[in-house]
Amino acid sequence: MIELLLLAPEEAVETVTDALIDELGALSASVEDADADTDAEQALFGEPGMPAPAGGWKRSRIVALFANDQAATEASTLLLAQDWAKDVALVAMRPVAEQDWVRLTQSQFAPVEIALGFWIVPSWHEVPAGAQRVIRLDPGLAFGTGTHPTTRMCLRWTARQAPALAPRWTRVLDYGCGSGILAIGAALHGAGRIDAVDIDPAAVEATRANAAANKVSVNAGLPELAQGQYPLVFANILATPLKLLAPLLCSHVAAGGHLVLAGILERQTEELKAAYAPWLTLQVDDRDDGWVLMTGAMA
């Protein structure tokens, strides 16, 4: 494979990357700060509820991957001939070193201990000694591998509360299920019927596959699958959709049941408390790396 390295101003980044992917046959295209590791380095931040960051840096380095030298050469020739590409410069074309990408990817995902004896273990790893409950989960298209603080906090809550509350979890709703990891965690801790819903059909399929791999029963589907009330409702999304979903999520929490919310930054706690105040009182139950877990009980 061949890497094509281009230098482009911020205003041209989106046009160049779209052309590379949609018209010129690039297998991938990534954007980097051309001034990284210098005094001119520019930080771009993107956080939930904040304006989206710029699509590139003032001086952006675009790295495009092509199947062979001919494809890269043709793409760069056509690209640089366009009127809108007058400020785009070709930096280099170079072969990509051969790597075992499978092993490289696998090395980035090690077993994660959520609580004493409760582990998330990728399929290529041995189960750690002393593990009593294990979620077998590989990284995929849907969010939720156990490495993100929001997922870890939800699973920690499940492990911490299950000894006392699991007999009451006759029905559980995982709203915005992603990979299905929270639903699987609840099943492993003794929950009854579990409904896992998501607006993304890929997440629904991932949840079904992951539940089958872990030999647990989870009903996965689109949001209309969620019907009635549940003693336990999870929603690990982001603060803005959580605020919009407050009436819906609260309508699904049974009397005496618990609502567990994640995807919330510490600075957003008061907003969430206010949004849910008409139905229940939220409190911060856990903190991890700038994120919080908020829970509430329905009267």
Side-chain angles (χ1 to χ4, degrees):
M1 291 190 180
I2 301 293
E3 274 186 343
L4 182 64
L5 274 68
L6 301 162
L7 191 64
E10 179 184 325
E11 59 271 15
V13 168
E14 185 174 354
T15 303
V16 171
T17 53
D18 286 350
L20 287 166
I21 296 293
D22 298 338
E23 301 173 24
L24 299 175
L27 303 175
S28 66
S30 60
V31 184
E32 306 167 355
D33 186 356
D35 296 313
D37 301 321
T38 72
D39 292 340
E41 182 176 3
Q42 178 189 5
L44 294 181
F45 298 102
E47 290 187 350
M50 299 293 288
W57 289 264
K58 290 181 180 178
R59 286 183 357 109
S60 293
R61 180 169 53 245
I62 300 173
V63 183
L65 185 65
F66 288 88
N68 52 54
D69 183 79
Q70 180 180 351
T73 300
E74 290 178 356
S76 62
T77 301
L78 288 169
L79 180 70
L80 297 175
Q82 306 305 310
D83 291 340
W84 47 259
K86 58 183 176 61
D87 295 322
V88 179
L90 174 63
V91 178
M93 280 196 304
R94 62 191 184 196
V96 178
E98 290 292 332
Q99 293 198 59
D100 187 334
W101 295 106
V102 173
R103 287 185 179 275
L104 180 62
T105 300
Q106 290 180 349
S107 70
Q108 298 171 354
F109 292 90
V112 177
E113 187 174 23
I114 298 300
L116 185 63
F118 181 25
W119 288 79
I120 301 168
V121 184
S123 61
W124 55 84
H125 278 282
E126 294 292 329
V127 174
Q132 298 168 351
R133 290 183 177 87
V134 175
I135 299 177
R136 284 290 199 174
L137 195 73
D138 296 341
L141 292 176
F143 175 82
T145 61
T147 59
H148 195 275
T150 59
T151 309
R152 289 198 303 267
M153 288 190 292
C154 289
L155 292 171
R156 278 202 298 260
W157 186 92
T158 299
R160 190 168 63 246
Q161 300 295 333
L165 298 180
R168 304 181 196 174
W169 296 343
T170 53
R171 298 186 77 209
V172 175
L173 174 61
D174 180 4
Y175 200 97
C177 58
S179 67
I181 189 170
L182 302 186
I184 295 167
L188 291 178
H189 282 84
R193 177 188 169 92
I194 301 169
D195 293 336
V197 303
D198 203 292
I199 61 173
D200 183 357
V204 173
E205 290 306 313
T207 295
R208 289 173 179 161
N210 288 330
N214 284 276
K215 298 180 173 58
V216 297
S217 177
V218 173
N219 307 298
L222 298 175
E224 53 264 30
L225 175 68
Q227 297 291 327
Q229 295 185 319
Y230 301 77
L232 176 58
V233 176
F234 287 107
N236 180 14
I237 315 175
L238 287 172
T240 297
L242 284 176
K243 287 189 289 184
L244 295 173
L245 288 167
L248 174 66
L249 292 175
C250 290
S251 73
H252 283 306
V253 184
H258 287 85
L259 178 64
V260 180
L261 304 179
I264 305 161
L265 294 167
E266 287 195 62
R267 60 176 173 79
Q268 297 169 325
T269 56
E270 295 305 316
E271 300 172 41
L272 267 295
K273 286 181 180 179
Y276 283 78
W279 299 276
L280 49 72
T281 301
L282 285 180
Q283 63 182 6
V284 174
D285 195 282
D286 200 354
R287 289 180 168 83
D288 193 336
D289 196 26
W291 298 86
V292 296
L293 182 78
M294 302 191 75
T295 63
M298 186 64 70

